[in-house]
Amino acid sequence: MRYQRVGDIVIVRKNLTEEEIKKIVEKTKCKSIVKYVTISGEFRTQYVKLLYGEETETIHKEHGCLFKLDVSKIMWSQGNIKERERMAFISNKRETVIDMFAGIGYFTIPMAKHSKPFIYAIEKNPVAYKYLCENIKLNKLKNVAPILSDNREVKLGKVADRIVMGYVHKTHKFLDKAFSFLKDRGIIHYHETVPEKILEKRPIERVKFYAEKYGYKIIDYKIHKIKKYAPGVWHVVLDVHLER
Ligand code: SAM
């Protein structure tokens, strides 16, 4: 049977018999089992049904980091594991980074811990923000400034060497704001869900449109496939180096 472990909680995709629940509990020693129902809305809220146990809050360990979250309110994407690892080691001590969609710190926590830049982590959902703050403390990080706000309301000026845009719903609508944060030279990690046929074209064309609008040139770019999102649709991230 396929299931996902988040800390000491197991997430399954279908209803289980008593026998199946017993087997999973014996095998994993989990404290709860939940059935994934859906993820929806701008906060990417996760809805689940409790099949076993009572608690839905847990601490997940990954890449030497701790992530506290409540699986009944907050998503955890197993498919993004490689990207969380890539982001962990991509920056350095000299950089200022803005994570525009920080969530509970999916990219902020591993990056702050392993690459050690200074990170402004912006999150709009108060529940995710609460866990972001807890995760900064749990991982003993001093180089993260959490900001509870819609990123479009945040005024930091052009301070960012690197910007993470880990959001997949109309992410291009946030590129105006991203360019307002970007130094004259910098990198944007731009996420999008895109049909396979236009995977090589649409993300870069969208970023190029805004780059030109703000007088930046694209020095270099690379597209990475993160995961299959839906039939014929990929979640991708575009790393774009920009200069003006
Ligand atoms: N990148 C994550 C991962 O690796 O699993 C997944 C996306 S994360 C859940 C996206 C976050 O962006 C959510 O927590 C959501 O509340 C937040 N968000 C959405 N719109 C926002 C906005 N305008 N400003 C700040 N945060 C926003």
Side-chain angles (χ1 to χ4, degrees):
M1 176 180 318
R2 285 167 63 92
Y3 56 80
Q4 180 193 341
R5 289 195 68 153
V6 181
D8 51 3
I9 295 180
V10 164
I11 304 179
V12 294
R13 294 260 165 176
K14 64 177 190 80
N15 280 320
L16 302 179
T17 61
E18 285 298 316
E19 195 54 35
E20 287 171 322
I21 289 176
K22 215 174 133 201
K23 266 194 197 156
I24 292 183
V25 174
E26 270 170 20
K27 192 165 171 202
T28 64
K29 310 275 181 268
C30 65
K31 67 176 173 190
S32 306
I33 303 178
V34 299
K35 181 189 164 203
Y36 168 88
V37 179
T38 188
I39 292 175
S40 75
E42 78 169 330
F43 289 167
R44 313 304 295 138
T45 305
Q46 174 152 279
Y47 297 93
V48 300
K49 183 179 153 200
L50 200 56
L51 301 181
Y52 168 82
E54 282 162 18
E55 279 179 69
T56 51
E57 189 176 77
T58 189
I59 297 179
H60 186 72
K61 293 193 189 93
E62 185 183 279
H63 307 130
C65 302
L66 300 173
F67 298 89
K68 189 168 180 184
L69 73 156
D70 184 334
V71 299
S72 72
K73 299 178 182 139
I74 300 285
M75 60 168 280
W76 180 265
S77 172
Q78 196 52 30
N80 292 358
I81 184 168
K82 282 262 170 304
E83 186 61 11
R84 286 191 290 273
E85 186 178 25
R86 196 175 77 90
M87 286 294 113
F89 299 99
I90 208 158
S91 183
N92 60 63
K93 273 185 186 166
R94 296 177 303 281
E95 288 190 350
T96 297
V97 176
I98 298 183
D99 185 348
M100 287 178 67
F101 303 91
I104 63 163
Y106 306 100
F107 298 131
T108 285
I109 300 293
M111 193 189 280
K113 176 141 192 164
H114 295 292
S115 300
K116 302 184 172 51
F118 185 81
I119 308 180
Y120 293 101
I122 309 170
E123 173 53 45
K124 186 178 178 181
N125 174 1
V127 179
Y129 177 80
K130 179 189 99 123
Y131 286 111
L132 171 65
C133 294
E134 286 198 44
N135 289 331
I136 293 167
K137 278 199 197 125
L138 265 177
N139 291 279
K140 301 186 174 62
L141 298 169
K142 302 269 180 253
N143 51 336
V144 182
I147 301 171
L148 174 62
S149 175
D150 186 308
N151 53 40
R152 291 164 294 194
E153 307 296 323
V154 176
K155 292 183 176 62
L156 288 170
K158 293 182 128 345
V159 295
D161 299 286
R162 183 182 298 275
I163 295 174
V164 184
M165 300 182 79
Y167 189 59
V168 292
H169 287 267
K170 303 200 164 73
T171 319
H172 60 286
K173 303 250 179 211
F174 296 86
L175 279 164
D176 276 313
K177 194 67 202 184
F179 277 96
S180 86
F181 289 142
L182 195 67
K183 283 184 180 172
D184 286 346
R185 197 184 166 100
I187 296 164
I188 297 181
H189 302 286
Y190 170 78
H191 290 239
E192 200 175 285
T193 45
V194 57
E196 182 140 27
K197 280 187 202 146
I198 54 171
L199 191 150
E200 298 292 337
K201 267 182 81 183
R202 193 179 73 184
I204 189 61
E205 275 176 7
R206 281 181 165 163
V207 175
K208 195 163 170 240
F209 173 85
Y210 287 90
E212 283 170 4
K213 183 172 171 187
Y214 295 105
Y216 285 81
K217 275 189 306 202
I218 292 174
I219 306 297
D220 189 20
Y221 73 91
K222 193 159 188 221
I223 193 153
H224 305 266
K225 283 179 178 168
I226 294 181
K227 61 179 185 287
K228 265 262 166 72
Y229 188 76
V233 180
W234 283 90
H235 173 182
V236 300
V237 57
L238 190 68
D239 298 346
V240 196
H241 293 240
L242 298 135
E243 195 180 67
R244 68 169 186 179

